[in-house]
Each structure stands twice: as structure tokens, then as C-alpha cells.
Amino acid sequence: MSSLRERAKSFFLQLYHRAKGMNPFVLAAIVFAVYLVLPPLSGEYSIWSQIKTQYQLAKSRSEHDRLTKEIEASRKDLEELQYHKDMLEKYAREKFLMKSEDEDLYLLR
């Protein structure tokens, strides 16, 4: 246990001696960069959380676009069915695989 303490002490002493000889502005920049990169220190402002948020935003936008297109297609189908009653049977046969009593239905995939 004491050897671990001694190694940690020597590591921090070496780190201190290296930092002592550095320009204070460079040292401050390094500390600030480490602060921005590590999520537990900077919370929602870390680079990792920003990347994760951008990924979620892109995913949400693509989902929104997909659902908007789906809504438009449904509105078009609804309008077509409301004003063209002859299309109702065709729509039921294609979308819901409905058939009349005297028909047989075969699905080919």
C-alpha cells in the first residue's frame, strides 16, 4: 500500500514540476480543454453530451420527416376514399386483404 502511495506522490510531483515550468496560459488552456471533454465535470456543456444531443436531434428530425410523409399519404388516401366511393373496395382489398364471400385469396411474396 505504501508503494502505491509513493508512486502516486512521485507522479504528482513530476506533474507539478512539469506544470511549474509551463506558460500559465498554456496550462490554463489544457485545464479548460480537459474540463470541456470530461462529462462529469462540465455536465451538459461537455463535448460528449453535445455530440449525443446532436445525434438525438438528427434522429428526431428524420423521424419527423418520415411521419410527415406518412401523414400526407394518409390524408391523400382519406380524401380519395371520401370523394371516390368506387375506390373504397380497391383500397380495402389492397391494404387490408379483404375479399368477398365467394372469392379465394392467395398471397404471393
Side-chain angles (χ1 to χ4, degrees):
M1 188 76 146
S2 64
S3 67
L4 181 63
R5 247 186 224 158
E6 290 172 8
R7 281 192 281 169
K9 186 177 179 181
S10 74
F11 172 75
F12 284 114
L13 279 175
Q14 288 176 356
L15 190 64
Y16 172 74
H17 288 299
R18 286 188 183 185
K20 188 177 174 185
M22 289 180 72
N23 185 347
F25 296 108
V26 172
L27 186 61
I30 291 171
V31 169
F32 184 69
V34 168
Y35 174 78
L36 285 179
V37 170
L38 296 177
L41 297 177
S42 56
E44 65 186 61
Y45 302 111
S46 73
I47 292 173
W48 303 119
S49 64
Q50 293 297 321
I51 291 171
K52 187 170 91 173
T53 304
Q54 289 295 323
Y55 173 74
Q56 289 173 346
L57 180 63
K59 189 176 174 183
S60 296
R61 284 183 178 161
S62 67
E63 181 75 11
H64 177 266
D65 292 342
R66 185 186 65 81
L67 291 175
T68 302
K69 289 177 185 175
E70 191 174 315
I71 288 170
E72 286 300 318
S74 296
R75 282 187 184 154
K76 180 184 165 203
D77 289 342
L78 179 63
E79 183 179 316
E80 188 175 283
L81 292 175
Q82 282 178 339
Y83 297 116
H84 304 292
K85 295 296 180 183
D86 55 333
M87 298 297 289
L88 185 60
E89 184 179 352
K90 179 183 176 195
Y91 185 81
R93 287 175 182 269
E94 289 177 358
K95 297 287 182 177
F96 300 110
L97 304 175
M98 292 185 169
K99 63 180 184 78
S100 61
E101 292 293 325
D102 60 343
E103 290 180 334
D104 291 327
L105 184 64
Y106 299 102
L107 297 177
L108 301 175
R109 292 185 185 208

